[in-house]
Amino acid sequence: MVLQARNKHREAAPKPPQPPRASQSPLRGASDVGAGEPGPERAPLSPGRKGAAGRKGPRAEPGAPPAGGGLGGRLAARLRWALGLRRAGRGRTWTTLLLAVFAAVLHWSHITHLFENDRHFSHLSTLEREMAFRTEMGLYYSYFKTIVEAPSFLNGVWMIMNDKLTEYPLVINTLKRFNLYPEVILASWYRIYTKIMDLIGIQTKICWTVTRGEGLSPIESCEGLGDPACFYVAVIFILNGLMMALFFIYGTYLSGSRLGGLVTVLCFFFNHGECTRVMWTPPLRESFSYPFLVLQMLLVTHILRATKLYRGSLIALCISNVFFMLPWQFAQFVLLTQIASLFAVYVVGYIDICKLRKIIYIHMISLALCFVLMFGNSMLLTSYYASSLVIIWGILAMKPHFLKINVSELSLWVIQGCFWLFGTVILKYLTSKIFGIADDAHIGNLLTSKFFSYKDFDTLLYTCAAEFDFMEKETPLRYTKTLLLPVVLVVFVAIVRKLVYHALQLLAYTALGILIMRLKLFLTPHMCVMASLICSRQLFGWLFCKVHPGAVVFAILAAMSIQGSANLQTQWNIVGEFSNLPQEELIEWIKYSTKPDAVFAGAMPTMASVKLSALRPIVNHPHYEDAGLRARTKIVYSMYSRKAAEEVKRELIKLKVNYYILEESWCVRRSKPGCSMPEIWDVEDPANAGKTPLCNLLVKDSKPHFTTVFQNSVYKVLEVVKE
């Protein structure tokens, strides 16, 4: 038996594929064994042959795009192939594309409408629009604003690459640190657009005076793509509209039916609040990055199904990887789950070593390109993702040695899995030590705190925020009410031995979503894609032989729409108007009552607004993924500890702070037990536990170490008294 197992793993030259019998078309040997392709129902391979076929390479797939027919014919065939319509004509291909475009326009209109309803964005002043971009959103938008307002585009890029305002007195390359390529690209488009419109004499914005009432002064509000904030938000919403087109194509391709694309799109809309937050927080990195992950996953699915890998598919995968990683520092963790799933699929024999090796090479090339484009950001090279790629590459190279081990096949799977797991962790630890990188150390601490009683200052700042806590208990209930969870469970049972990659990826996203609530933005859309397989003749042909597939699908969608339409109505009923008068007063005071080089410190969200709207130097900001910045923020937040005022002032002077913006609410608010700022400091500084928090003392009397120079209902600006 051991000898037979070894023979199955050997790299022998594959035999030419045998034509399938007319009565029984075998499934392909890839991890996405073609479930859901149009045509007659196919019987699955026996468990014994499944592994062998996977290791020898996938079978030739009937109906692959022909090589000949001219360039136009080949492109049309490839497009029909990519959409899962290889037996269809051009009419069906164009119909699918038109439906995808309709889905894109629908989603663009939906999120634009929600955003406008929530903030009345079109009638806000420039300052109000900037304040509406709270916390890290304001930080990212500030660099777009810098490039737009610079004398030239290159001058603006140079300014953000030599930034003196964000972490005063340091000069940092923000393009290296903050994943700002979206802002650079959008700023270039804005400058080109406005110049062209000016040349041909077309007006790009309309301005008017808005009376705010209640004793507030009138403001000027401008609407149109000529306004920087409107242009910025509009491009984000267009991109996320196109994302819905990709979801439709993805669902169509995966299920082999346009009904599958319809199910994916409607499930996304019915569970919209669980799928995305772009309509509330457009400048966040996920708004730019996630649409390219959808494209990337579609390409991976196509590559797994293909019997022959074309260079164009691999290049497209490389480009989508780069576009996914460049805008978002978290992308590497998502790609880690993907290559882990692919490696597991390879280990159990569903894809051959040649295909996985090419995918790994593409990921390596993508990572190297991002490393270069981000000016040598060492976090990319010291990530678990990079270490995992190297370890998997090593395991593939050592395959002949693994086959010589005299153990059962199951034991061989376990050995390779352990090599990957422990090798990745050890290599990541070694590379971090060699490069002296501790920027992502808080990620490990955050995960540790999820399973053990570990606590520290940085970890508590994360876990006390709802979006970084465990998934809400109500979330699975909301999935159930729209029938998304029951449908996906049925699909999962059907695909677990056929679409192995997607089953594993779904499990990985589920784990991420349960551990960190914010990450359900990966889980819920993937569930919507998986729901498309309810339309698969490959999986549910036994049912569709008795009942028309359209009747089944529309019955399910009708049941989903009961709660789904209620969810949509709840979103449409959100109507508000942005107003933050206390912060507006603060910003105006800073702009007109302090020197341009005055240095500020305070809560991270407020600092982003000070940097964006008042253009003053700050010492801390909301981008918390840097070890040095975390240390600075800890010093700044000592104002909310129980330390002595003199000690805190001394540390602020070392940071060259002139003004501290104190917010009393930060001293008293508490999201849950143990999560007020003084309680967090009790964990970090137990020696001072029991004393009155410094912020409470300074609210009453800031002297002698600080002087109150501005105060309103929310903010109190303290000038640091120099010694």
Side-chain angles (χ1 to χ4, degrees), residues 143 146-162 191:
Y143 302 109
T146 297
I147 301 176
V148 163
E149 295 181 351
S152 69
F153 172 74
L154 291 179
N155 182 262
V157 173
W158 184 92
M159 290 170 68
I160 69 169
M161 290 177 63
N162 297 270
R191 296 182 71 107

Side-chain angles (χ1 to χ4, degrees), residues 587-605:
I587 297 298
E588 294 289 352
W589 180 85
I590 293 174
K591 290 167 66 174
Y592 296 109
S593 302
T594 64
K595 297 179 180 179
D597 59 352
V599 182
F600 283 79
M604 290 185 284

